[in-house]
Amino acid sequence: MNPNDEHGHVIEVADRLFYERGIQAVGMAELRREVDLPLKKLYALFPSKQAIVFAVLDRRHRIWTAGLQKKIDDAADPRSKLLAAYDYLADWFAEDSFRGCAFINAFGELGSQSPDIAERTRAHKESFQQVLARLVADAGGDPALGPQLALLAEGAQTTAAISGSPEAAQQARQAAGILIDAQLPART
Amino acid sequence: MNPNDEHGHVIEVADRLFYERGIQAVGMAELRREVDLPLKKLYALFPSKQAIVFAVLDRRHRIWTAGLQKKIDDAADPRSKLLAAYDYLADWFAEDSFRGCAFINAFGELGSQSPDIAERTRAHKESFQQVLARLVADAGGDPALGPQLALLAEGAQTTAAISGSPEAAQQARQAAGILIDAQLPART
DNA sequence: AACTATAGGGAACGATCGTTCTCAAAGCAA
DNA sequence: TTGCTTTGAGAACGATCGTTCCCTATAGTT
């Protein structure tokens, strides 16, 4: 396994462990065991646990954003593109491993201790807002619609995580449809 | 200070510390210092840190629920009662100490480690859903409306916490108004 | 005043954390 | 083979955690 593979492998495994059980609950010794690398090599690849956490969050952001964009690109018309976000959530919530938004979890766990984690979380959510705002603008809708749709998506993520049920995605999608129809110009 | 006062004082101080900085970040030694009680007395009042955490969450739930109910009771008509939840959020977000929903934070931090915390969080959110469902039913609205309004409220809480700005309450309120008008029978 | 029970204050305990260090094994050049 | 550098494996370190224990001082009773 070359260094790049090892680097990526550590991040993948750490992501799974942190997401399943929380960041503080996973120690470096356990991570070392799961990736099957000497502790020394782990510290050669990353200077600290914090660096691994940041790498995990950055990867999460990239994957999440790319997956969302694909759903949007696959949608035909502006209304469908806006609703695509909730289809993306539905797919996500249906995964066995779903346990809420990793950023929200990390923020709740360490946001008050680590300005870096708080900032990464803020940036992640802000980027989602920007995606929605752009779609709303492209569709000629009321600028207020973007943040409203974002609230539904955020609420669905926490609700699905806490309730353990994926139905929040459909509820959010239905509500979004109503908000869109009320604030987007009817298609000619 | 009699034992009841001490008991309540510990819970109040612990709530403030846990909410500000996270549960795991606050040690018993620091709590002891802040409440100015011997460690021995702290352990005479509560059998463990976990018991304090549970007491803090239970108190949060009671205060939150009572505050929400008061806002609802103060509202005149069914539509206003539904919107009262967002006025309650607006007041809350405006507090300097606001740092998100304590249950969501605790769930993100310890939900995967502690079934008790996960269950308390689930129960807290479920009780909010019940309050909204009742208001919707009393108003003769579509039963789907309750969960939709809850999603907006949950999304507003996380968004306000992460962004550090209270505007999510108004955005949620405006969206709620649209959803209500679409799914509640017009007042005669 | 003498004895007893209680409570304060904090040291001690055992566990665990992130990180560093030791040291032997292994690879490699000569 | 010999000497040298790099690596693997995990022990060690220092800090911190929740919890318990010890010891002293005080208060109450006779």
Side-chain angles (χ1 to χ4, degrees):
Chain A
M1 203 183 280
N2 72 48
N4 276 348
D5 288 345
E6 283 172 341
H7 200 268
H9 182 59
V10 168
I11 294 174
E12 279 177 37
V13 172
D15 184 37
R16 176 171 55 78
L17 295 177
F18 291 161
Y19 186 59
E20 276 175 7
R21 311 223 303 277
I23 294 168
Q24 300 186 86
V26 176
M28 292 296 276
E30 179 177 7
L31 177 59
R32 181 218 75 84
R33 201 164 45 242
E34 291 281 326
V35 296
D36 198 28
L37 284 179
L39 212 43
K40 199 171 188 179
K41 185 133 211 168
L42 208 46
Y43 276 95
L45 291 167
F46 299 91
S48 66
K49 180 180 181 181
Q50 182 169 238
I52 300 177
V53 172
F54 293 165
V56 163
L57 290 179
D58 290 348
R59 172 174 168 274
R60 276 255 162 190
H61 172 72
R62 288 195 305 274
I63 292 175
W64 201 88
T65 302
L68 173 64
Q69 193 59 51
K70 173 156 175 32
K71 277 277 183 191
I72 291 171
D73 290 343
D74 287 351
D77 57 295
R79 188 176 189 278
S80 302
K81 283 182 188 294
L82 283 169
L83 290 175
Y86 306 95
D87 297 332
Y88 183 56
L89 293 184
D91 291 350
W92 188 23
F93 296 173
E95 291 175 15
D96 281 347
S97 62
F98 177 75
R99 223 184 64 77
C101 170
F103 286 88
I104 293 174
N105 293 344
F107 184 83
E109 186 176 353
L110 296 166
S112 62
Q113 306 291 312
S114 163
D116 294 290
I117 287 183
E119 173 53 26
R120 274 177 168 79
T121 302
R122 204 200 52 71
H124 173 68
K125 295 307 187 185
E126 172 63 21
S127 119
F128 178 54
Q129 296 267 0
Q130 295 284 352
V131 169
L132 291 180
R134 177 62 180 274
L135 290 178
V136 168
D138 287 351
D142 187 326
L145 178 58
Q148 293 173 6
L149 295 178
L151 291 183
L152 286 172
E154 300 297 346
Q157 287 172 60
T158 62
T159 299
I162 291 170
S163 72
S165 143
E167 64 189 343
Q170 273 71 40
Q171 294 165 345
R173 192 184 202 280
Q174 191 179 357
I178 294 171
L179 294 179
I180 291 169
D181 292 339
Q183 294 170 99
L184 213 63
R187 193 144 50 100
T188 55
Chain B
M1 202 183 281
N2 72 47
N4 276 348
D5 287 347
E6 283 173 339
H7 199 268
H9 183 58
V10 168
I11 294 174
E12 278 178 37
V13 172
D15 183 37
R16 178 171 54 80
L17 295 176
F18 291 161
Y19 187 59
E20 275 176 7
R21 312 223 303 278
I23 294 169
Q24 299 186 87
V26 177
M28 291 296 276
E30 180 177 6
L31 177 58
R32 182 218 74 85
R33 201 164 46 243
E34 291 280 328
V35 296
D36 198 27
L37 283 179
L39 212 43
K40 200 172 187 177
K41 183 131 213 170
L42 208 46
Y43 276 95
L45 290 167
F46 299 91
S48 66
K49 180 180 181 180
Q50 182 170 239
I52 300 177
V53 173
F54 292 166
V56 162
L57 290 179
D58 290 347
R59 171 175 169 273
R60 275 257 162 188
H61 173 70
R62 287 195 305 275
I63 291 176
W64 202 87
T65 302
L68 173 64
Q69 194 58 52
K70 174 156 174 31
K71 276 278 185 190
I72 292 171
D73 291 342
D74 287 351
D77 57 295
R79 189 177 189 278
S80 302
K81 283 182 187 296
L82 283 169
L83 289 175
Y86 306 95
D87 296 333
Y88 183 57
L89 294 183
D91 290 350
W92 187 24
F93 296 173
E95 292 176 13
D96 281 346
S97 62
F98 177 75
R99 221 184 65 75
C101 169
F103 286 88
I104 293 174
N105 293 344
F107 184 83
E109 186 177 354
L110 296 166
S112 62
Q113 306 290 312
S114 162
D116 293 290
I117 286 183
E119 173 52 27
R120 274 176 168 80
T121 303
R122 204 199 53 70
H124 173 68
K125 295 306 188 186
E126 173 62 22
S127 117
F128 179 53
Q129 295 267 2
Q130 295 284 352
V131 169
L132 291 181
R134 179 63 180 273
L135 290 178
V136 168
D138 287 350
D142 188 325
L145 178 58
Q148 293 173 6
L149 295 179
L151 292 183
L152 285 172
E154 299 298 345
Q157 287 172 59
T158 62
T159 299
I162 291 170
S163 72
S165 143
E167 64 189 343
Q170 273 71 39
Q171 294 166 345
R173 192 185 202 280
Q174 190 178 358
I178 294 171
L179 294 180
I180 291 169
D181 291 340
Q183 293 171 97
L184 213 62
R187 194 145 48 102
T188 55

